[in-house]
Amino acid sequence: MNAEEAKKTIDQSLNQAQLIMTIGTCSVKYEGRAASKLSNGDRMLIIKKDGTFLVHQSKGMAAINYQGPGAAILTSIDDFGKLTVSAIRKKKGEISEQITVTFQEISFCHSFDLQDDKKIQLFGTEQDLSNLLMNDLHLIEPGLVPVQQESPLAKGHIDILARDRHGALVVIEIKRRQAELNAISQLKRYVEEVSKRKDCKVRGMICAPDISENAKKMLDGYGFEFYKLNYDASHEDTKIKGLEKKQQELTHYF
Amino acid sequence: MNAEEAKKTIDQSLNQAQLIMTIGTCSVKYEGRAASKLSNGDRMLIIKKDGTFLVHQSKGMAAINYQGPGAAILTSIDDFGKLTVSAIRKKKGEISEQITVTFQEISFCHSFDLQDDKKIQLFGTEQDLSNLLMNDLHLIEPGLVPVQQESPLAKGHIDILARDRHGALVVIEIKRRQAELNAISQLKRYVEEVSKRKDCKVRGMICAPDISENAKKMLDGYGFEFYKLNYDASHEDTKIKGLEKKQQELTHYF
DNA sequence: GCGATCAGCGGCACG
DNA sequence: CGTGCCGTTGATCGC
């Protein structure tokens, strides 16, 4: 396909705010928060009507170069008759960014009018798990009652804050996947902050489907607790299937 | 476009491991680690030759539903003559996942042969900054010498480990963007671990272009230091433009 | 393969 | 608007 032709297609479609797809051999250059270079190869360029700019290679999930919504799109034909398409982002307070795609060959360039105002409904988020646990704190231990959900702290927010039957506060951090070191650090921060403000015993607790070995050691070191949270999120109504306390390994005592 | 026709196009292209793009009105369902529903609207479905499966709406950067490389793709025509395309992922040890796209209308379905074995070159990563700083530790303070880069710890790895002119170890954590609470927690982990193993004073230090207010407070609380790292990563050779120590605010003393 | 972390992270929600 | 953090995070690198 002709470069002039493609340029015309893109320019017109931009005016009409359509989705534009261009496929061809191109090189890509990026300058902004970082910088990148990608030499000639066949790629797919997607320009959405909100300014989203995506360059995809033939493999891999992530766009290899991109620009978020709001980018200004510019097209031009260079001295060698090659089409270049640029996405430029200039926001005050942010680093100015620019991607330039230079096409050697264009095999396809077309625009599509996509009508779609539907929003996705997502189930099984951490928030969902939190809501479920809120109503089932007895699964953890008898007498545990909710104090606050999503308690906003100066430094982050606690998933669930509860009180046990002895009057101690329990900071519960929920993870929808394996808890790792940073989850323990997070919990530590919350427990420290709550301890500073409340004059009572404060327990720290992680509820997650799994925990890494190092994270478990760190957890034990702080005297926190881990509950294995078994759940099924593959349906609209996420279900908690089990919640069992994992004691410290006996080996820790030898 | 006819559903049968589109199915044939997709099936044939899958055999040839090409990139396939289908555009039309569809609903999308996902079940796996989480679950989602998206009712009818116009979308773009991209199937890459490595099994990557992407559903894009007309706006926004992220694919609204996706499946990574390795997904098995299935097509079928349902009782109402509608085309459904599914991506299924079954890996042992992982949760089985499935996306199903049901097309009401198909406006475009075509495959493309994208030849591309080029890899992107990225500049200005945290690693690059680390390399630069390694050779310019004097920018931080006189007499600071490198001990080890990317020092592997049981719990993570230290960006730069150095020794100051008084013999104290300095754990340096570099961030390419604003340091926030979790960066401080991270640094704390490393300092704790080094302290445990070395019998000398251990300093903690963050080098980042900025630091959030709370992170700064937490940093001060631990007695760590913040150096404002001014750099330009918008070119192939990233440059450090300045590195200035930010003292504690005087207000902290009142 | 597991684990820890980075990412041009993006996106969201809440102060 | 900043900030903290989740994400079906993904991608990478070291052990």
Side-chain angles (χ1 to χ4, degrees), chain B residues 228-251:
Chain B
K228 184 173 171 56
L229 174 61
N230 198 345
Y231 69 88
D232 176 9
S234 73
H235 299 288
E236 280 190 36
D237 63 318
T238 305
K239 277 195 170 53
I240 291 182
K241 295 166 66 181
L243 188 64
E244 94 188 270
K245 177 159 193 177
K246 291 296 178 183
Q247 306 286 1
Q248 285 189 228
E249 304 294 333
L250 281 182
T251 51

Side-chain angles (χ1 to χ4, degrees), chain A residues 30 33-34 65-67 97 178 180-181 212 214:
Chain A
Y30 159 69
R33 284 169 292 176
N65 277 112
Y66 55 87
Q67 200 65 243
E97 300 205 287
Q178 176 174 271
E180 306 202 339
L181 290 175
S212 75
N214 278 328

Side-chain angles (χ1 to χ4, degrees), chain B residues 179-194:
Chain B
E180 306 202 337
L181 290 175
N182 65 340
I184 316 301
S185 290
Q186 209 180 329
L187 179 59
K188 183 74 182 342
R189 282 209 305 274
Y190 301 156
V191 169
E192 275 178 354
E193 183 156 346
V194 171

Side-chain angles (χ1 to χ4, degrees), chain B residues 21-163:
Chain B
M21 191 174 65
T22 311
I23 291 178
T25 309
C26 62
S27 62
V28 190
K29 193 178 175 185
Y30 159 68
E31 291 184 344
R33 285 168 289 176
S36 74
K37 269 192 337 187
L38 181 59
S39 52
N40 280 315
D42 300 342
R43 280 127 210 170
M44 177 174 49
L45 167 62
I46 298 163
I47 304 173
K48 295 194 186 186
K49 55 190 184 186
D50 61 356
T52 299
F53 189 97
L54 302 168
V55 181
H56 272 273
Q57 287 186 296
S58 60
K59 295 176 188 177
M61 229 190 80
I64 196 68
N65 277 112
Y66 56 87
Q67 200 63 242
I73 313 295
L74 286 182
T75 63
S76 71
I77 307 276
D78 73 11
D79 297 342
F80 306 97
K82 305 300 182 194
L83 171 68
T84 68
V85 186
S86 300
I88 300 173
R89 181 192 192 90
K90 272 186 208 292
K91 274 194 179 176
K92 57 180 180 227
E94 284 179 32
I95 292 170
S96 165
E97 301 204 287
Q98 172 157 7
I99 307 176
T100 304
V101 181
T102 304
F103 283 96
Q104 300 302 314
E105 295 288 335
I106 301 169
S107 57
F108 181 87
C109 181
H110 206 76
S111 73
F112 301 89
D113 186 26
L114 267 56
Q115 296 297 332
D116 184 11
D117 56 359
K118 296 296 181 356
K119 290 214 182 321
I120 196 170
Q121 291 175 273
L122 186 60
F123 312 96
T125 59
E126 183 186 291
Q127 181 73 42
D128 290 339
L129 291 175
S130 177
N131 292 340
L132 288 172
L133 252 189
M134 235 357 223
N135 300 322
D136 276 324
L137 287 183
H138 67 271
L139 284 176
I140 297 177
E141 68 182 29
L144 197 63
V145 294
V147 172
Q148 200 173 13
Q149 191 178 12
E150 287 294 314
S151 167
L153 243 48
K155 303 177 181 175
H157 66 270
I158 295 172
D159 287 338
I160 293 178
L161 186 61
R163 193 176 291 278

Side-chain angles (χ1 to χ4, degrees), chain A residues 56-117:
Chain A
H56 271 274
Q57 288 185 294
S58 58
K59 296 177 187 176
M61 226 189 85
I64 197 67
N65 277 112
Y66 55 87
Q67 200 65 243
I73 314 294
L74 286 182
T75 62
S76 72
I77 308 278
D78 72 12
D79 297 342
F80 305 98
K82 305 299 182 193
L83 172 69
T84 68
V85 187
S86 301
I88 301 173
R89 182 191 190 88
K90 273 186 206 290
K91 274 194 179 174
K92 59 181 179 225
E94 285 180 32
I95 292 171
S96 165
E97 300 205 287
Q98 171 157 7
I99 308 177
T100 305
V101 182
T102 305
F103 283 96
Q104 299 303 314
E105 296 288 334
I106 301 167
S107 58
F108 181 86
C109 181
H110 206 77
S111 72
F112 302 89
D113 186 27
L114 267 57
Q115 297 297 333
D116 183 12
D117 57 358

